[in-house]
């Protein structure tokens, strides 16, 4: 092979590779897997809920939720893990964004508190949902740096996109769907512009049928359900300090222990999980005058049933509507922000359902008994 032919082949291969990479860069940018700012731009350009977003490559929503907060400058916010995602903008009279999903560990909570404290426009009310495993010293979730949302296509992204094709042709579907992110495009579920998550609950498939997956995690002493008899006072102190920083920035805050499904809570009420009650008691004592609402036991939620849960540890939006109405009755700061008549009507119309807001926007839709509990929908 002559030097000229070698160089020609090399340049041809390089150009071909560049064209292929460029094509994939355009594709992944168009579907929302690259460039978080343009995702938020497109969501804010349409009414709430009309464009859902959930990446099929990067499931960490910390940076995305903070960007929603910065861009919308809401007067009311929710802070927490995925267990704060079912709080909706419709539930409030004031502009609202949930940072649910931005807190996967204690370091995340502290980072969110710092971000809110430095924001130029402060919310009037923050509702902080505190998971019990945050004060469990055995909780082993990764506390490393939050990954940046990608700006350029990568080999990992191409591989993830290829694997997603086994669940359906998201490439062709992206031309019909208004959603962004491979997961949202292929499953029609994800985050709306208020940060709340919409689940596709109309099919026959069950993620946590009869709460079997949740019980497996409890029995396996793993993930969020490591056993412990005592909460770590140092961790409780850090949570308390973060909440107080948020309250100082906003002027009003409330802390919530989010609910578990009834049968799951029964398992967590055993002595092996005594740290839960211990931790919440320590936290409440530390908070001083900041209102604390303990809904971990769903029996404390008036009218709640397991049929209103998405899985063993995630209540649906009807569940959270119930809690907000009870909070409003006890706390003037919450009462001043919630739309109580809407909440009462919403609970009455969609009782027994996990995704009432989806049904309200799509009257022809019907929620399935996806938990296989014999729920009448």
């Amino acid at each position: 092979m002559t030097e000229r032919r070698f160089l020609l082949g090399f340049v041809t291969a390089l150009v071909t590779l560049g064209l292929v990479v460029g094509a994939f860069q355009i594709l992944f940018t168009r579907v929302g897997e690259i460039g978080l700012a343009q995702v938020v731009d497109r969501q804010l350009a349409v009414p709430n809920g009309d464009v859902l977003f959930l990446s099929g490559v990067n499931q960490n929503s910390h940076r995305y939720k903070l960007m929603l907060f910065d861009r919308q400058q809401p007067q009311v916010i929710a802070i927490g893990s995925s267990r704060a995602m079912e709080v909706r903008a419709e539930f409030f009279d004031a502009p609202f964004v949930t940072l649910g999903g931005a807190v996967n560990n204690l370091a995340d909570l502290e980072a969110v508190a710092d971000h809110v404290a430095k924001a130029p426009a402060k919310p009037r009310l923050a509702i902080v949902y505190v998971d019990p495993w945050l004060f469990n010293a055995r909780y082993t979730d990764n506390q490393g740096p939050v990954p940046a949302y990608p700006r350029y296509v990568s080999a990992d992204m191409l591989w993830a996109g290829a694997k997603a094709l086994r669940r359906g042709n998201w490439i062709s579907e992206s031309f019909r769907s208004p959603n962004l992110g491979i997961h949202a495009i292929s499953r029609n579920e994800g985050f709306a512009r208020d940060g709340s998550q919409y689940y596709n609950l109309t099919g026959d498939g069950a993620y946590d049928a009869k709460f079997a997956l949740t019980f497996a995690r409890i029995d396996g002493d793993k993930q969020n359900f490591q056993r412990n008899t005592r909460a770590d006072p140092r961790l409780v102190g850090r949570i308390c300090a973060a909440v107080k920083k948020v309250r100082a920035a906003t002027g009003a805050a409330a802390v919530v222990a989010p609910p578990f499904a009834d049968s799951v809570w029964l398992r967590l009420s055993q002595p092996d999980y005594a740290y839960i009650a211990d931790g919440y008691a320590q936290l409440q004592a530390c908070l001083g005058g900041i209102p604390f609402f303990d809904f971990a036991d769903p029996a404390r939620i008036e009218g709640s049933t397991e049929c209103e849960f998405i899985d063993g540890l995630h209540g649906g939006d009807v569940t959270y509507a119930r809690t907000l109405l009870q909070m409003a009755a006890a706390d003037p700061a919450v009462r001043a922000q919630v739309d109580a008549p809407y909440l009462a009507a919403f609970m009455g119309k969609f009782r027994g359902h996990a995704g009432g807001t989806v049904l309200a926007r799509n009257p022809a839709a019907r929620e399935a008994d996806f938990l296989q509990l014999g729920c009448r929908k």
Side-chain angles (χ1 to χ4, degrees):
M1 178 182 293
T2 66
E3 181 177 348
R4 178 175 179 149
R5 290 181 61 188
F6 172 79
L7 289 175
L8 181 61
F10 178 78
V11 171
T12 301
L14 195 62
V15 170
T16 301
L17 178 62
L19 290 173
V20 171
V21 171
F24 280 113
Q25 177 78 14
I26 293 171
L27 171 64
F28 279 87
T29 300
R30 190 180 66 80
V31 301
E33 290 292 348
I34 292 175
L36 197 53
Q38 64 99 9
V39 168
V40 174
D41 287 342
R42 288 168 64 180
Q43 284 193 297
L44 297 186
V46 299
N48 187 41
D50 286 358
V51 174
L52 301 179
F53 165 68
L54 189 56
S55 170
V57 177
N58 180 2
Q59 295 288 314
N60 192 308
S61 61
H62 182 94
R63 297 184 187 277
Y64 165 70
K65 293 299 180 74
L66 292 181
M67 186 174 290
L68 286 179
F69 168 79
D70 290 341
R71 291 285 302 277
Q72 298 185 71
Q73 300 184 348
Q75 295 179 18
V76 182
I77 59 172
I79 297 172
S81 68
S82 59
R83 302 174 77 214
M85 288 179 180
E86 293 305 291
V87 190
R88 312 281 194 198
E90 289 88 340
F91 296 169
F92 299 91
D93 284 326
F96 168 82
V97 167
T98 176
L99 301 178
V103 177
N104 297 301
N105 49 58
L106 188 46
D108 284 347
L109 176 60
E110 292 168 329
V112 169
D114 288 341
H115 193 91
V116 172
K118 295 174 182 176
K122 305 292 195 298
R124 297 177 184 172
L125 172 68
I127 304 174
V128 185
Y129 292 81
V130 177
D131 295 321
W133 38 86
L134 291 184
F135 41 71
N136 183 356
R138 295 190 63 222
Y139 180 52
T140 56
D141 184 39
N142 175 32
Q143 297 199 28
V146 176
Y149 200 74
R151 297 174 59 189
Y152 304 102
V153 70
S154 66
D156 289 342
M157 187 178 297
L158 293 176
W159 177 242
K163 288 194 297 183
L165 287 172
R166 295 182 298 180
R167 300 189 297 269
N169 191 340
W170 58 266
I171 298 176
S172 63
E173 187 62 30
S174 70
F175 291 96
R176 298 183 291 271
S177 172
N179 298 333
L180 296 169
I182 292 173
H183 186 100
I185 290 168
S186 59
R187 296 287 301 276
N188 194 32
E189 58 182 23
F191 302 120
R193 58 185 273 173
D194 68 349
S196 67
Q197 180 152 6
Y198 286 73
Y199 293 90
N200 187 345
L201 305 176
T202 60
D204 296 329
Y207 162 70
D208 196 15
K210 296 181 172 60
F211 307 126
L213 290 178
T214 303
F215 288 141
R217 292 162 69 180
I218 294 173
D219 294 339
D221 187 35
K222 60 185 179 181
Q223 292 176 293
N224 310 84
F225 295 103
Q226 289 98 338
R227 302 181 184 97
N228 214 332
T229 56
R230 298 287 295 173
D232 188 326
R234 293 170 298 176
L235 299 179
V236 175
R238 288 173 62 187
I239 296 168
C240 184
V243 171
K244 287 182 175 179
K245 178 176 287 190
V246 170
R247 197 271 302 270
T250 61
V255 176
V256 177
F260 295 92
D262 297 78
S263 52
V264 172
W265 178 248
L266 183 63
R267 297 279 285 272
L268 296 178
S269 301
Q270 305 305 312
D272 283 350
Y273 290 94
Y275 86 89
I276 296 176
D278 176 46
Y280 281 135
Q282 289 187 44
L283 180 60
Q284 187 173 10
C286 178
L287 290 173
I290 300 175
F292 173 76
F293 297 91
D294 189 353
F295 294 118
D297 180 354
R300 299 192 180 104
I301 306 173
E302 297 174 9
S304 176
T305 71
E306 289 188 329
C307 294
E308 295 176 356
F309 275 73
I310 294 166
D311 57 31
L313 64 157
H314 292 90
D317 54 12
V318 177
T319 302
Y320 281 82
R322 295 184 186 280
T323 62
L324 280 172
L325 205 55
Q326 289 182 225
M327 292 165 63
D331 183 5
V334 176
R335 184 163 59 249
Q337 304 298 338
V338 301
D339 187 343
Y342 177 87
L343 289 173
F346 180 79
M347 288 158 43
K349 185 174 183 179
F350 298 111
R351 62 181 179 274
H353 294 80
T357 307
V358 173
L359 300 176
R361 294 180 174 181
N362 303 279
R366 182 174 180 179
E367 189 170 291
D369 180 21
F370 57 92
L371 290 175
Q372 299 178 10
L373 298 175
C375 299
R376 299 180 64 182
K377 302 285 188 177

